[in-house]
């Protein structure tokens, strides 16, 4: 339409920017939108200071201490009041006297009370019985260990005696066994080959043994007696 960005009007004294169209909430009253826009603007936002950032004066410290003392007193009084309506057996707390009386007359409370009395009555006897049983068991185990130790000692003594006897009779028994083994070998060879072994060992072994007498054997070809 020929407008070049200057002010409106014949002498260009009008507005230079177009009218802005904003969104308005129909539920808000008159002026409320402008107030919200003002407080939500970035340049007008004010952050609330933290408790750490606030410098505490003497008056504030005294007030804080007084309030803390009051709170402690109130808590102690409340605890003392609640102690009257607290059941140690059931570990339950009640605020009203009516509720506490109803609990005392309940089946749960009476059942636990009877169970506690039964434990107190039979607890000591059962403990004594257990202690006696444990002592008897320990005595039996000790007796078994003593018997095992005695048996081991006897076995060791017998083994020592046997070793001593064997060490005393060892050379004689070895000589006899060697002589008997060599005699058995010579007899086997004589039966198999018709002659006995003439080693040095056989002579030395049979030197103590008495020689067999020579027996005359009749010859087949004549009456002359030959010696083998």
């Amino acid at each position: 339409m020929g407008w070049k960005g200057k002010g409106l009007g014949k002498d260009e004294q009008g507005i230079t920017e177009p009218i802005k169209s904003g969104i308005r909430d129909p539920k808000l009253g008159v002026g409320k939108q402008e107030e919200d826009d003002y407080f939500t603007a970035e340049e007008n936002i004010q952050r609330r200071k933290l408790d750490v950032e606030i410098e505490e004066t003497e008056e504030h410290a005294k007030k804080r201490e007084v309030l803390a003392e009051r709170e402690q007193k109130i808590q102690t009084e409340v605890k003392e009041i609640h102690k009257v309506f607290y059941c140690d057996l059931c570990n339950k707390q009640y605020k009203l006297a009516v509720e506490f009386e109803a609990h005392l007359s309940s089946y749960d409370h009476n059942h636990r009370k009877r169970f506690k009395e039964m434990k107190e009555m039979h607890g000591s006897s059962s403990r004594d019985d257990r202690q006696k049983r444990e002592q008897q068991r320990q005595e039996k185990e000790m007796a078994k260990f003593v018997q095992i130790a005695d048996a081991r000692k006897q076995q060791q003594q017998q083994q020592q005696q046997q070793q001593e006897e064997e060490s005393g009779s060892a050379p004689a028994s070895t000589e006899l066994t060697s002589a008997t083994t060599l005699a058995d070998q010579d007899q086997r060879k004589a039966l198999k080959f018709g002659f006995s072994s003439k080693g040095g060992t056989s002579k030395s072994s049979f030197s103590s043994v008495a020689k067999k007498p020579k027996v005359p054997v009749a010859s087949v070809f004549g009456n002359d007696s030959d010696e083998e």
Side-chain angles (χ1 to χ4, degrees):
M1 300 294 288
W3 181 66
K4 296 179 182 180
K6 297 180 180 181
L8 296 176
K10 185 179 179 182
D11 298 329
E12 297 180 354
Q13 75 280 8
I15 60 175
T16 56
E17 295 179 0
I19 299 169
K20 294 180 181 181
S21 61
I23 299 170
R24 180 179 177 279
D25 192 355
K27 294 180 182 179
L28 295 176
V30 178
K32 182 63 178 173
Q33 186 67 42
E34 294 177 358
E35 187 178 354
D36 292 342
D37 293 339
Y38 175 79
F39 285 112
T40 56
E42 293 181 358
E43 61 272 10
N44 295 325
I45 292 173
Q46 293 180 359
R47 184 175 63 81
R48 185 179 178 182
K49 290 183 179 181
L50 299 172
D51 296 334
V52 181
E53 295 176 354
I54 298 169
E55 294 180 357
E56 189 176 14
T57 58
E58 292 181 359
E59 294 179 357
H60 290 293
K62 288 179 181 179
K63 287 181 180 179
R64 183 170 55 77
E65 290 175 357
V66 171
L67 291 171
E69 288 178 358
R70 285 180 183 175
E71 287 179 358
Q72 287 181 358
K73 287 180 180 178
I74 290 165
Q75 288 177 1
T76 53
E77 289 176 358
V78 170
K79 285 180 181 179
E80 289 178 357
I81 292 166
H82 285 315
K83 282 180 182 177
V84 181
F85 307 120
Y86 178 74
C87 182
D88 294 327
L89 184 62
C90 302
N91 193 14
K92 290 182 179 180
Q93 180 67 56
Y94 296 97
K95 294 180 179 179
L96 300 175
V98 178
E99 295 176 355
F100 184 65
E101 289 176 357
H103 171 70
L104 293 175
S105 61
S106 64
Y107 174 78
D108 187 12
H109 178 75
N110 291 318
H111 178 69
R112 290 188 180 182
K113 189 176 179 181
R114 288 194 298 272
F115 186 67
K116 186 179 179 181
E117 291 175 354
M118 292 291 290
K119 272 187 176 180
E120 290 176 354
M121 289 173 64
H122 299 285
S124 60
S125 61
S126 61
R127 287 175 185 172
D128 295 336
D129 294 337
R130 287 176 184 174
Q131 289 178 358
K132 288 180 181 178
R133 287 174 186 173
E134 288 179 358
Q135 288 179 358
Q136 290 176 359
R137 183 176 59 79
Q138 290 177 359
E139 289 176 357
K140 287 180 181 178
E141 289 179 355
M142 291 295 291
K144 287 180 182 178
F145 287 131
V146 170
Q147 289 177 0
I148 292 165
D150 293 336
R152 286 181 179 177
K153 286 181 180 178
Q154 290 178 1
Q155 287 179 0
Q156 289 177 359
Q157 290 176 359
Q158 289 176 1
Q159 288 177 1
Q160 288 178 359
Q161 291 176 0
Q162 289 177 1
Q163 288 177 1
E164 290 175 356
E165 291 175 357
E166 288 176 357
S167 63
S169 62
S173 62
T174 52
E175 290 178 358
L176 291 170
T177 51
S178 62
T180 52
T181 51
L182 290 169
D184 292 337
Q185 289 178 2
D186 290 333
Q187 287 177 2
R188 288 175 184 175
K189 285 180 181 179
L191 291 170
K192 190 172 183 180
F193 300 105
F195 60 90
S196 62
S197 63
K198 296 181 180 180
T201 56
S202 63
K203 287 180 181 180
S204 62
S205 61
F206 287 104
S207 61
S208 61
V209 182
K211 293 181 179 180
K212 294 181 180 181
K214 294 182 179 180
V215 179
V217 180
S219 63
V220 179
F221 299 101
N223 296 323
D224 298 331
S225 62
D226 297 328
E227 292 178 359
E228 186 179 31

